[in-house]
Amino acid sequence: MVKIEEKKIGDGIKMFTVSNEKMCFSVMNYGCTLTEINFPDRNGKMTDVLLGYDDLEGFKNCTDSRGAIVGRVANRISGARFSIFGREYHLDVNDGKNTLHGGNNRFEKMVWDAEKFTSEDGRGGVRFTRRSESMEQGFPGNVDITVEYSLGDDDGIRCEYTAVSDEATPINLTNHAYFNLNGARGKIESILNHVLELESDKILEVDGELIPTGKIIDVRDRKEFDFRSPKKIGRDISMCDERIGHGYDNCFVTSAYECGSNAKDGKDLCRFGSVTSPLTGIKMEIFTNQIGVQVYSGNFLKGTGKEGLENKKYDGVCFETQRFNDAVNRKEFPSMIQERGEEYRSITVYKFSN
């Protein structure tokens, strides 16, 4: 049975805790932010597997999107501009010459409407809604967005994003949670010891600014990106580009992508892979209907997090399920443009076991 508790933590800001008989997660309507995920380790000790902060002020001052929704377009848009039907739109320049995660006015710093819900299949969770007005962040179209985080008896946190616009516009939503399955326990062990296994044999080739070139390359040609067989995240990480901190910040192609197809999203959930902490025995599997997952190894993490502990490089790993980055400027990729009245629907499930 799923329980949902609610409490006020600030002006118009509420925290919700969703639990079943084994695990729980907490989320607030400030940025649709996941603040905690607690799951028992191999010895039954409840372990918080998310990086974050002890209070609301920490999240308000956060600059790296911890646990929050990212949009209207996650990841990078080259040149901070794009065109639809011959009209060019200009965005914030906040990542070199490019736009990252929607620019400066981010969804993660907005207060969303929120309500508890229970579905017919027994899942319980929180539903967040807001309207992104036309030209917010520089994007056209009034977009009505719904974000749902829910839990059932399968120990899987389901994240579902839907959106409808009254004008053609790019949409690409995701969550930017930093996972560390070691937990804190008075100190933070990096995620380099985590064992990662991915059902992905291709990645998007990128240039020095992490902008896709349009090519999709085989991981067999790049040893550091080959996780088809389980291996520790840290095993080949030193081979990664030093310009991005000798770490991962790459879009892996999922089995939802069909080569030559123009489908923006997969029809069904596919398994992307799993990550496991040898220290705690906690395993997390990732399922999604998205054609790409940005794997980021926290190359530039810094600052004080939960329990007053310093967060540093490689202390968290993100699995940002999404459409191919910069698809709005890449004819080689399936489009990320939602037509007027067309429903956008993205689903991700993080399933835990030990």
Side-chain angles (χ1 to χ4, degrees):
M1 180 178 178
V2 177
K3 296 180 180 179
I4 310 169
E5 299 176 348
E6 173 185 339
K7 67 177 180 179
K8 182 178 179 180
I9 61 171
D11 186 16
I13 301 174
K14 300 176 182 178
M15 181 74 74
F16 300 84
T17 298
V18 184
S19 61
N20 62 16
E21 295 180 353
K22 189 173 184 179
M23 67 172 294
C24 68
F25 72 86
S26 294
V27 61
M28 61 181 172
N29 64 326
Y30 181 79
C32 304
T33 303
L34 287 165
T35 62
E36 290 186 21
I37 298 177
N38 286 282
F39 191 81
D41 69 5
R42 62 165 62 90
N43 298 315
K45 179 178 176 60
M46 292 301 286
T47 302
D48 183 3
V49 299
L50 276 190
L51 296 189
Y53 301 93
D54 291 326
D55 55 32
L56 178 59
E57 285 305 307
F59 287 98
K60 285 186 174 182
N61 295 326
C62 174
T63 59
D64 54 24
S65 309
R66 295 188 201 191
I69 186 176
V70 176
R72 209 183 272 193
V73 175
N75 219 314
R76 293 166 176 85
I77 295 180
S78 62
R81 63 181 184 268
F82 65 94
S83 296
I84 301 179
F85 303 137
R87 179 179 174 183
E88 188 168 89
Y89 295 89
H90 294 266
L91 310 171
D92 294 336
V93 178
N94 69 331
D95 184 63
K97 299 178 294 185
N98 312 305
T99 299
L100 176 64
H101 295 333
N104 298 323
N105 184 28
R106 295 192 177 189
F107 283 5
E108 68 193 76
K109 303 302 183 186
M110 300 175 184
V111 178
W112 295 57
D113 293 331
E115 63 177 353
K116 299 178 286 186
F117 75 91
T118 302
S119 62
E120 292 183 358
D121 62 359
R123 299 189 69 84
V126 187
R127 178 179 298 117
F128 303 99
T129 57
R130 75 176 296 268
R131 166 166 280 206
S132 177
E133 300 286 348
S134 184
M135 300 313 296
E136 181 177 77
Q137 301 177 325
F139 296 102
N142 298 299
V143 182
D144 293 313
I145 305 171
T146 300
V147 178
E148 293 182 355
Y149 300 139
S150 65
L151 179 66
D153 58 8
D154 59 352
D155 296 333
I157 298 174
R158 180 183 175 98
C159 308
E160 185 165 348
Y161 315 87
T162 56
V164 177
S165 176
D166 63 3
E167 189 176 346
T169 192
I171 299 180
N172 189 27
L173 304 173
T174 194
N175 183 278
H176 207 291
Y178 288 81
F179 296 96
N180 187 319
L181 306 187
N182 294 326
R185 302 165 185 269
K187 66 176 182 177
I188 299 178
E189 299 283 352
S190 82
I191 49 87
L192 295 180
N193 72 335
H194 283 30
V195 177
L196 184 61
E197 166 265 323
L198 301 179
E199 295 183 19
S200 174
D201 56 11
K202 294 179 175 62
I203 62 169
L204 303 188
E205 182 183 66
V206 293
D207 63 18
E209 295 183 325
L210 295 178
I211 300 297
T213 65
K215 294 182 180 180
I216 298 177
I217 60 176
D218 198 305
V219 299
R220 281 169 282 213
D221 299 326
R222 296 289 300 273
K223 174 184 174 183
E224 65 269 35
F225 299 112
D226 190 353
F227 289 92
R228 292 171 301 146
S229 296
K231 69 177 182 182
K232 290 186 176 181
I233 291 175
R235 194 178 85 176
D236 299 317
I237 202 167
S238 63
M239 299 174 63
C240 294
D241 196 327
E242 65 178 347
R243 290 172 295 183
I244 57 171
H246 281 305
Y248 297 102
D249 195 357
N250 302 89
C251 186
F252 287 75
V253 179
T254 77
S255 60
Y257 174 70
E258 299 178 15
C259 185
S261 170
N262 290 321
K264 303 169 187 175
D265 312 300
K267 294 180 181 179
D268 304 301
L269 284 179
C270 68
R271 185 180 183 276
F272 174 61
S274 69
V275 60
T276 306
S277 163
L279 184 64
T280 62
I282 296 174
K283 176 180 180 179
M284 183 180 78
E285 294 179 276
I286 304 106
F287 301 83
T288 186
N289 73 331
Q290 295 297 281
I291 60 176
V293 179
Q294 190 83 5
V295 177
Y296 175 52
S297 55
N299 310 332
F300 299 100
L301 270 171
K302 60 183 179 180
T304 302
K306 294 177 181 177
E307 299 183 21
L309 298 175
E310 192 71 17
N311 292 162
K312 55 190 183 302
K313 182 176 181 176
Y314 305 145
D315 275 354
V317 59
C318 304
F319 300 97
E320 306 161 52
T321 59
Q322 58 191 258
R323 291 169 168 175
F324 289 169
N325 42 317
D326 202 34
V328 72
N329 289 317
R330 281 289 171 190
K331 294 181 179 179
E332 304 95 321
F333 295 161
S335 173
M336 66 166 60
I337 301 296
Q338 290 298 118
E339 301 298 335
R340 176 181 179 181
E342 179 187 15
E343 184 183 56
Y344 167 88
R345 187 165 182 253
S346 171
I347 304 171
T348 298
V349 176
Y350 300 112
K351 187 175 182 179
F352 294 86
S353 60
N354 59 22

